[in-house]
């Protein structure tokens, strides 16, 4: 595990987020920080909060720049500034400049930046060059991804039994010039089948929750589809509508529907419909509104409610059919006058029909609301069922014999150059500092860090082509050529 805070500062690096994601995989929680260039003090305060339980006497800072970027020259100023700022709060500050080379798209800026690297000698403790061209001179489809992982893994050298930093520093002092380093990294990806096992377990949990939720819904108390207790009010309001002055015997032999037409014409129905429209325009109560809009639920709760809603819809549809039959029967009832009956009796019978119509309307509204809510929950559960089916279609691992740690160690060390090729292509690499470290990752699998140091920009395979491109560019810009030539000659002539 990393013992000291790791801080990254990215200078116009477009892939900064990918590098940080990789760093979070190689560091424990609370050990990696991205420097806020606008507010360095805010970052130092977060480091000193020490949520990761690190040793904060020392901080390791990595400034990452792209050689092709015209802003890369800011790296020197940032090195000086960061050392001053962090030395105020930390006993030891180790500054590393990481230069990213995109060798498939080199520009004159690449040569210019590397050629001026001698000016950075007092700003940084180490200089790493990482290229998308590997030590076998290949640029592969996965080169960019490997580059991100390597940048993120560089701090791991601080947790190894390593003498790389000391030996490189000694060589720099001995030769009195800037010497570069590079690296390669490999981490065993989690086996696909191992992930499938975890996903199958998740699918089983989801299936169990849905089944249990459905069972809960079936065992829940049924929702009451009761008749609205507004009978007297409905009858009173309907019978208050102005009626024609008919006698009771004038309605003899008529059914209730015909009697309503004779007494009220269409006025009773218009009055009733206006009352329903007014009720429909009234705001929904807070409880009902929250019930309609509350979509975020636990899976088991959603399955339970979907089952309850399904039952409620069935019961409501049944109740609607019963009420329709009751209304049809009530309206078809023939009026038979008895001595104690008067015209008010007939009006009350008409009012009873409107009570049924009122309840029928209420149940239709309830059915619409229940159907809408059930449709949302059903769609959600069908989506989850699709996810479960997709997961369960994934293959599970066959029984295989896992290599012992000793066998794995031997295989990795034997194939180190293939697994983790150095992110640099050099014309010569004899006499350079080399180290190779195997470390366990959080899954207790090995991860491999290879480092090499002690070369100069002139040792780069593509240096001649970069130099040629820079000279052509300088020739096209006379005002710039002399300055570039002087810097190049001064650099090469250093002992």
């Amino acid at each position: 595990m990393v013992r000291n805070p790791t801080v990254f500062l990215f200078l116009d690096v477009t892939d900064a987020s990918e590098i940080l994601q990789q760093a979070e995989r190689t560091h424990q929680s609370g050990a990696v920080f991205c420097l806020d260039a606008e507010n360095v003090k805010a970052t130092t305060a977060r480091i000193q909060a020490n949520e990761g339980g690190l040793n904060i006497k020392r901080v390791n800072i990595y400034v990452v720049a792209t050689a092709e970027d015209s802003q890369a020259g800011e790296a020197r100023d940032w090195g000086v500034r960061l050392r001053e700022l962090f030395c105020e709060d930390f006993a030891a500050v180790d500054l590393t400049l990481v230069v990213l080379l995109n060798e498939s798209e080199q520009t004159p800026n690449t040569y210019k930046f590397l050629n001026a690297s001698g000016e950075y000698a007092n700003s940084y403790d180490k200089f790493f060059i990482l290229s998308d061209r590997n030590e076998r001179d290949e640029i592969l489809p996965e080169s960019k991804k490997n580059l991100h992982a390597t940048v993120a893994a560089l701090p791991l050298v601080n947790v190894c039994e390593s003498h790389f930093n000391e030996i490189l520093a000694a060589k720099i002092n001995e030769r009195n010039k800037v010497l570069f380093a590079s690296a390669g990294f490999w981490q065993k990806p989690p086996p696909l089948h191992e992930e499938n096992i975890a996903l199958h377990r998740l699918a089983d949990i989801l299936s169990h929750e849905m089944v249990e939720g459905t069972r809960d819904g079936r065992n829940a108390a049924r929702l009451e589809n009761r008749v609205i207790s507004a009978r007297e009010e409905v009858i009173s309001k309907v019978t208050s509508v102005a009626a024609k002055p008919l006698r009771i015997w004038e309605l003899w032999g008529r059914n209730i529907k015909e009697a309503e037409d004779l007494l009220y014409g269409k006025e009773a129905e218009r009055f009733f419909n206006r009352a329903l429209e007014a009720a429909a325009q009234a705001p929904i109560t807070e409880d009902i509104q929250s019930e309609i809009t509350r979509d975020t639920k636990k899976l088991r709760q959603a399955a339970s409610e979907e089952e309850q809603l399904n039952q409620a819809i069935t019961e409501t549809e049944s109740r609607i059919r019963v009420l329709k039959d009751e209304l049809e029967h009530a309206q078809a009832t023939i009026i038979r006058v008895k001595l104690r009956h008067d015209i008010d009796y007939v009006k009350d019978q008409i009012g009873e029909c409107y009570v049924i119509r009122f309840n029928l309307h209420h149940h239709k509204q309830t059915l619409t609301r229940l159907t809408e809510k059930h449709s949302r929950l059903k769609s959600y559960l069908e989506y989850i069922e699709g996810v479960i089916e997709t997961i369960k279609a994934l293959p599970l691992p066959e029984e295989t014999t896992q290599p012992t740690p000793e066998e794995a160690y031997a295989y990795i060390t034997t194939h180190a150059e293939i697994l983790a090729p150095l992110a640099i292509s050099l014309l010569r690499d004899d006499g350079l500092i080399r180290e190779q470290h195997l470390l366990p990752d959080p899954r207790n699998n090995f991860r491999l860090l290879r480092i090499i140091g002690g070369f100069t920009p002139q040792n780069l395979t593509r240096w001649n082509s970069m130099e040629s491109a820079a000279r052509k560019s300088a020739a096209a810009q006379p005002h710039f050529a002399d300055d570039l030539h002087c810097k190049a000659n001064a650099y090469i002539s250093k002992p």
Side-chain angles (χ1 to χ4, degrees), residues 283-294 369 373:
I284 300 175
T285 65
E286 184 177 348
D287 288 343
I288 295 176
Q289 184 67 42
S290 64
E291 180 185 354
I292 292 174
T293 59
R294 189 176 61 249
R369 190 185 69 180
K373 189 174 181 183

Side-chain angles (χ1 to χ4, degrees), residues 58-88:
R58 175 191 177 94
V59 62
N60 299 311
I61 303 174
Y62 294 80
V63 177
V64 186
T66 304
E68 292 77 24
D69 198 313
S70 61
Q71 303 296 318
E74 295 181 8
R76 177 184 55 208
D77 299 332
W78 268 109
V80 174
R81 183 184 173 194
L82 291 174
R83 194 175 296 280
E84 291 176 351
L85 289 171
F86 275 81
C87 281
E88 293 177 4

Side-chain angles (χ1 to χ4, degrees), residues 111 115 119 471 480-493:
Y111 175 85
N115 200 43
E119 302 173 13
R471 290 185 184 278
F480 165 67
D482 293 339
D483 180 60
L484 180 63
H485 239 332
C486 290
K487 285 185 177 178
N489 290 333
Y491 183 84
I492 295 170
S493 63

Side-chain angles (χ1 to χ4, degrees), residues 134-321:
N134 67 29
E135 62 183 297
R136 296 189 292 273
D137 211 34
E138 302 169 325
I139 297 180
L140 303 174
E142 64 270 19
S143 292
K144 195 172 185 180
K145 182 179 179 182
N146 292 341
L147 202 61
H148 298 160
T150 304
V151 175
L154 288 179
L156 293 180
V157 74
N158 297 304
V159 304
C160 304
E161 290 295 329
S162 170
H163 301 286
F164 182 82
N165 294 342
E166 294 86 343
I167 298 173
L168 183 59
K171 278 212 170 200
I172 291 172
N173 290 332
E174 177 188 337
R175 299 181 62 179
N176 194 27
K177 66 178 355 181
V178 176
L179 298 177
F180 288 87
S182 191
F185 179 70
W186 172 83
Q187 179 166 289
K188 181 180 179 182
L192 177 63
H193 286 328
E194 278 190 19
E195 292 181 346
N196 288 359
I197 291 173
L199 289 171
H200 272 264
R201 288 173 182 165
L202 173 62
D204 290 339
I205 292 171
L206 295 176
S207 297
H208 176 76
E209 287 294 291
M210 291 184 70
V211 170
E212 289 302 309
T214 302
R215 185 177 291 115
D216 292 345
R218 289 172 184 164
N219 295 335
R222 293 193 174 187
L223 300 176
E224 281 191 52
N225 277 309
R226 55 190 176 82
V227 174
I228 299 301
S229 58
R231 178 177 175 279
E232 298 300 330
E233 184 179 358
V234 173
I235 293 175
S236 173
K237 288 184 177 181
V238 170
T239 57
S240 67
V241 176
K244 293 179 182 179
L246 299 179
R247 302 291 184 179
I248 185 67
W249 52 81
E250 294 180 78
L251 301 177
W252 175 271
R254 308 278 187 179
N255 62 33
I256 297 298
K257 179 60 178 171
E258 292 169 337
E260 177 188 344
D261 291 340
L262 291 172
L263 280 170
Y264 299 108
K266 296 298 181 183
E267 288 305 312
E269 186 166 3
R270 289 193 189 100
F271 174 82
F272 180 75
N273 290 337
R274 284 196 299 271
L276 290 180
E277 288 176 8
Q281 292 173 1
I284 300 175
T285 65
E286 184 177 348
D287 288 343
I288 295 176
Q289 184 67 42
S290 64
E291 180 185 354
I292 292 174
T293 59
R294 189 176 61 249
D295 291 330
T296 303
K297 303 178 185 301
K298 292 182 179 179
L299 181 57
R300 181 166 180 166
Q301 180 186 356
S304 174
E305 289 192 20
E306 189 273 335
E307 181 62 29
Q308 292 179 59
L309 286 168
N310 192 43
Q311 293 181 48
I313 288 171
T314 301
E315 293 170 6
T316 303
E317 288 172 339
S318 176
R319 184 59 183 161
I320 288 172
R321 289 193 294 270

Side-chain angles (χ1 to χ4, degrees), residues 443-463:
R443 293 171 173 262
N444 287 322
N445 291 317
F446 287 113
R447 51 190 179 188
L448 174 65
L449 176 64
R450 297 177 64 213
I451 47 180
I452 185 171
F455 59 89
T456 65
Q458 287 79 8
N459 296 137
L460 298 177
T461 303
R462 303 296 160 180
W463 179 261

Side-chain angles (χ1 to χ4, degrees), residues 401-412 446:
T401 303
Q402 294 295 324
T404 65
E406 293 76 14
E407 291 172 335
Y409 184 95
Y411 176 84
I412 294 170
F446 287 113

